[in-house]
Structure formats: structure tokens, C-alpha cells
Amino acid sequence: MGIVRKTKSVQTLLTIFENTEVALSSANLVKELAHSMNKTTVYRILDRLESQGLLHSFQGFDGVKWYAKCQGCSKEHHNDRHPHFQCRDCGKTECLSADFNIPELSNHKVEYAQLLLTGQCAACAQL
Amino acid sequence: MGIVRKTKSVQTLLTIFENTEVALSSANLVKELAHSMNKTTVYRILDRLESQGLLHSFQGFDGVKWYAKCQGCSKEHHNDRHPHFQCRDCGKTECLSADFNIPELSNHKVEYAQLLLTGQCAACAQL
DNA sequence: TTGCTAATGCAACTTAGTTGCATTAAATTT
DNA sequence: AAATTTAATGCAACTAAGTTGCATTAGCAA
């Protein structure tokens, strides 16, 4: 897992992610944690947790970076081939357990794919 | 199609998109066109061309907005459900003619999906 | 050719994220 | 338990992408 120090800031972020089922944007975490840590620290910890396989990230429709906890990822291998969903009404952003397949392309060597969905979440669509 | 004036700047951008088969990022267009038009103008024209159904846009892995010309889109209906590919080596970003399917989700009302792929393009993978 | 107003330019601003460097504090060693 | 090492943090300054307000310009219709 590499040399990692369990600092207060790291533990704060780990606790936040352990206690949520949704994805969180770096920009928003910076705002929420402004009183307790520097924004540079937030960005750097998120980076580190991702390269350690504890978090994974993806780009939202809004162009900001979102993070969510990993299940079954390691430093060596990220196992997050699942779609992400952003609710157009409440903004809730989450990992979906569904699988998706990547189209076969003869003239490209596809290494990574990201499927991003939007629409209404259960609550907003009143499903 | 709404009230649209064919200004020099609009024509410049239309010509650029007509003469390319790849997607172009707004940020890069701003840089390339800095001598001939203001960056605000670039952003506003791209916006307008998109809402007129002449261009469509998507977020890249880099978090910047990319635009490409539409085929068969109108102001009323955008018909760009195709994946986009960004080459990790040369940065070439393109629309793929392949189709893709959206996973069935009982507890979400999916309205729009974006599939973004990365890896190596034909030239960089020497296919 | 005149008048209307869409479109542009400009300056100032916002938001997300990065960089360099001095300082602090985990964790290891003595 | 103190000393040491260096990962991690804070801070300030910066960059890059994009937005906003407002005065000015230039398509285009009458």
C-alpha cells in the first residue's frame, strides 16, 4: 500500500467517504472542509486515496471531478467499471451497480471507458 | 432555426468545424482564435451553435468541454447518442459511429447518457 | 439609409485546480 | 522518551476555463 500517514485530515476524509453511499465532488469537499483543512490538502489527499485504491474518480457533466469509495480496488488494479448517475434536479451523484459493455472498435485500442448518465433519481422522479 | 446572424466570427467557426472530422475543445479554440475574436465570443458562439443543433458537446476526461458537428440534429432534437474517444497519446478526440446501449435501471429515470472512451487511436496504436 | 437589436469586445470576476516552498507532525530509530 | 526523518500540510501566488455586465458594433429587415 505504500508509505501513508494516517493524519487527522486523511482520517476525516476517510470517515466522510465511509459514511456516505454517494459520490462527492472535490470542489464541494473543499468548501465543506474549509474550516478544518486547506484546499490543497483536500486535493492532495483525494489524489493519494485514489492511487491507493481506496477511492475512484470520474468527471461529471459539470466538468468537476467526483470521488466515491471503491469496492474491491487495489493500488494495482481499479475495478470500477460501473456507470455513474447525476440527478439533474437534486444533483445527487452515485455509482450504479449495473454493468455496461464497451463497443467493439477495430481501429481503436480502448483501455478505459466511462459511462455517465443523467436524468432523475428515484426521489426526484417519485418512483 | 431562430434568429441568427451570420457574422464573420460565426462563419469562421462554422468553417473550422466543416473542415474537420474530429472534436475540438472550447479552450483550444479560444487559444487558436485569440487573434481574430474575443474568448467570450467563442464561448457564446459555441453555445449558440449547439442550441441550434449544428454542434453537440461533451465533457472530456480532462474536464474541458468538447464540440463536434452534428449529423441529423435539429434545434428540437439532438441525435448524438454515440460514444466519444480521446487518445491518451496524441489527444485526438473524435465521435465514434458505433452505437451503445444504456443499462436498464428500475429506480432511475435516465434521460441522457454519455459514453467516453480512452486508449490509443489507430495512428498511436499503429493498427 | 435608417433603425432595431443580435452579436461582439472588454474588463473584471468566479471557480476549479496546481505549484513551490517553508513548516509541521506522523512514524521510525536510538 | 527524545531525536530523527520525511511525508504531509499550510499558505500564497498562480493558472486555466469559463462567466457576467455593460457599452459599442454591425447584420439585416423595413
Side-chain angles (χ1 to χ4, degrees):
Chain A
M1 191 87 127
I3 302 119
V4 185
R5 292 183 184 176
K6 278 264 170 92
T7 63
K8 261 191 188 149
S9 299
V10 168
Q11 294 194 325
T12 301
L13 276 160
L14 281 176
T15 305
I16 290 173
F17 278 99
E18 266 156 33
N19 292 319
T20 186
E21 289 306 311
V22 299
L24 304 167
S25 74
S26 44
N28 204 51
L29 284 167
V30 164
K31 273 175 214 141
E32 276 174 16
L33 295 171
H35 57 94
S36 73
M37 72 187 86
N38 189 272
K39 68 171 174 172
T40 313
T41 305
V42 178
Y43 286 115
R44 290 198 273 223
I45 291 177
L46 292 173
D47 255 23
R48 245 182 295 144
L49 295 180
E50 181 171 23
S51 58
Q52 285 161 37
L54 297 174
L55 298 180
H56 66 279
S57 74
F58 56 95
Q59 286 292 136
F61 284 107
D62 39 17
V64 309
K65 210 168 177 182
W66 291 79
Y67 287 85
K69 63 187 162 201
C70 286
Q71 303 102 321
C73 293
S74 68
K75 195 180 176 180
E76 290 73 31
H77 180 67
H78 264 274
N79 178 29
D80 42 270
R81 178 158 296 178
H82 53 255
H84 293 102
F85 182 90
Q86 285 196 290
C87 179
R88 68 157 155 88
D89 291 349
C90 68
K92 186 172 122 182
T93 300
E94 49 189 327
C95 298
L96 300 176
S97 51
D99 201 14
F100 69 96
N101 38 17
I102 296 161
E104 287 298 318
L105 301 170
S106 54
N107 51 348
H108 291 80
K109 201 173 148 192
V110 177
E111 291 166 345
Y112 178 73
Q114 178 180 289
L115 178 61
L116 190 57
L117 309 174
T118 189
Q120 289 181 301
C121 72
C124 291
Q126 295 174 333
L127 293 179
Chain B
M1 189 87 124
I3 303 119
V4 185
R5 294 182 182 175
K6 278 267 171 90
T7 62
K8 259 190 189 153
S9 299
V10 168
Q11 293 194 326
T12 301
L13 275 160
L14 281 176
T15 305
I16 288 172
F17 278 99
E18 268 156 29
N19 292 318
T20 185
E21 288 309 310
V22 299
L24 304 167
S25 74
S26 44
N28 205 51
L29 284 166
V30 165
K31 274 175 215 144
E32 275 174 15
L33 295 171
H35 57 94
S36 71
M37 73 187 85
N38 190 273
K39 69 171 174 173
T40 313
T41 305
V42 177
Y43 286 115
R44 289 198 273 224
I45 291 176
L46 292 173
D47 255 22
R48 246 182 294 144
L49 296 180
E50 181 170 23
S51 58
Q52 288 162 36
L54 297 175
L55 298 181
H56 66 280
S57 74
F58 55 96
Q59 286 291 134
F61 284 106
D62 38 18
V64 308
K65 210 168 177 181
W66 291 79
Y67 287 86
K69 62 186 165 201
C70 285
Q71 304 101 321
C73 292
S74 69
K75 195 180 178 178
E76 291 73 31
H77 180 67
H78 263 275
N79 177 30
D80 43 88
R81 178 158 296 181
H82 54 254
H84 293 102
F85 181 91
Q86 285 195 290
C87 179
R88 68 156 155 90
D89 291 349
C90 68
K92 187 172 121 182
T93 299
E94 50 189 326
C95 299
L96 300 176
S97 50
D99 201 14
F100 70 95
N101 38 18
I102 295 160
E104 288 298 317
L105 299 171
S106 54
N107 52 347
H108 291 80
K109 202 173 147 192
V110 177
E111 291 167 345
Y112 179 73
Q114 177 180 289
L115 179 61
L116 189 56
L117 309 175
T118 189
Q120 290 181 301
C121 71
C124 290
Q126 296 175 331
L127 293 178

